[in-house]
Amino acid sequence: MHPLRIVLFGLLAYPWAAWPKIALVNHTVTQGLSQNTVTCIYRDSQGFLWVGTQDGLNRFDGHRFVRYRHDERDSTSISDRYITAIMEDGSGNLMVGTRNGLNLFDRTGRRFQRIYPDPIRKRSFQYPFEKIERTASGDLFISGSHCLYHWDHRLKTMRMIDTDLPAGNNFTVYGDTCQQVDGRGGIVKHRPPFAYTTSGGTDKAFREKAWVQADRKGRVWSCRQLSEGLSR
């Protein structure tokens, strides 16, 4: 990982120029970033850039950083210092995944509400929430501790999807459907009310731990952990 770089594009003075000028401005702890190892970046609907690091969450308005760090003495602080995922739902709620728990950011009070999918573990160490993706209707699919969860942005409720498949990063969202690799080369599709369908397949890339992503046509692309190219 490298320090955050804000890329500014400026057109050349001549109209026939084929390429724009690119100015790179480095932002590090010197400029206010909480830590130099950036783990995730997200731009919200208000234009703020949210930057997750291994030591805190940062909000950047184009001029300065506001830092949010975990504080053991403050239950309204973010649940962990290591940020893993950031996503905004259809109601403008900012969901932040960490190495230890899931957080909903209150923009008005600038506080965090900790989301506990399993109330039994409320007072113990939670688990990492590695990936958050948004549906077309504004709900979220969230992976954590080998489970897949669905967040209803209107009701502000979270439920675990009944599946025996490992979550991790092996799912993607197209429209309102979550498409998850089933470990046998097929794709399992989850859609509220979560009756799911499976499409068969034998591609080795989909049987191993992989990163998957859907394109604009709904086609699922997979990249294996050992990196031997892409599969579709």
Side-chain angles (χ1 to χ4, degrees):
M1 297 290 181
H2 299 284
L4 177 66
R5 292 183 177 180
I6 305 300
V7 182
L8 304 175
F9 293 89
L11 294 177
L12 291 173
Y14 303 101
W16 58 82
W19 298 96
K21 287 182 178 178
I22 300 176
L24 298 179
V25 180
N26 289 338
H27 290 269
T28 67
V29 292
T30 303
Q31 288 75 35
L33 191 65
S34 63
Q35 205 252 2
N36 282 341
T37 304
V38 174
T39 55
C40 50
I41 302 176
Y42 180 75
R43 184 177 183 271
D44 69 16
S45 59
Q46 298 181 15
F48 292 112
L49 195 67
W50 293 86
V51 183
T53 73
Q54 292 183 357
D55 188 19
L57 178 68
N58 303 261
R59 192 194 70 182
F60 185 63
D61 62 5
H63 301 283
R64 68 185 187 93
F65 290 96
V66 176
R67 298 182 295 272
Y68 300 93
R69 283 190 170 104
H70 171 66
D71 184 347
E72 293 182 356
R73 300 164 296 179
D74 185 1
S75 62
T76 66
S77 68
I78 197 165
S79 62
D80 193 79
R81 58 189 286 185
Y82 196 117
I83 312 302
T84 54
I86 309 168
M87 183 62 66
E88 187 178 42
D89 69 15
S91 297
N93 302 304
L94 194 73
M95 192 72 75
V96 183
T98 74
R99 180 181 54 183
N100 177 29
L102 189 65
N103 305 261
L104 188 66
F105 182 63
D106 177 3
R107 294 179 185 272
T108 303
R110 297 186 178 182
R111 295 173 295 185
F112 292 90
Q113 174 189 350
R114 299 178 186 179
I115 307 297
Y116 297 101
D118 184 359
I120 297 177
R121 297 179 59 118
K122 188 173 182 179
R123 295 186 180 277
S124 64
F125 187 85
Q126 295 291 302
Y127 29 77
F129 288 86
E130 301 170 341
K131 186 175 182 180
I132 307 174
E133 288 210 12
R134 176 173 163 170
T135 69
S137 60
D139 290 345
L140 303 177
F141 282 97
I142 306 166
S143 67
S145 187
H146 304 293
C147 295
L148 187 63
Y149 300 92
H150 175 262
W151 169 261
D152 187 313
H153 76 95
R154 296 180 182 88
L155 299 177
K156 287 190 176 182
T157 57
M158 189 167 172
R159 61 167 288 184
M160 185 175 70
I161 297 175
D162 187 14
T163 174
D164 294 328
L165 306 178
N169 293 327
N170 67 344
F171 78 94
T172 187
V173 170
Y174 178 72
D176 283 326
T177 302
C178 175
Q179 303 184 75
Q180 186 180 13
V181 177
D182 70 0
R184 296 184 297 274
I187 301 294
V188 176
K189 297 182 179 181
H190 305 279
R191 181 184 176 92
F194 301 113
Y196 62 85
T197 58
T198 304
S199 60
T202 58
D203 195 315
K204 186 177 181 181
F206 288 97
R207 296 198 304 271
E208 297 182 1
K209 185 175 181 181
W211 182 276
V212 293
Q213 183 67 46
D215 62 21
R216 293 182 180 180
K217 295 183 178 180
R219 297 172 298 189
V220 178
W221 295 81
S222 173
C223 179
R224 291 171 55 191
Q225 189 176 35
L226 298 180
S227 185
E228 292 185 12
L230 288 171
S231 297
R232 190 186 73 185

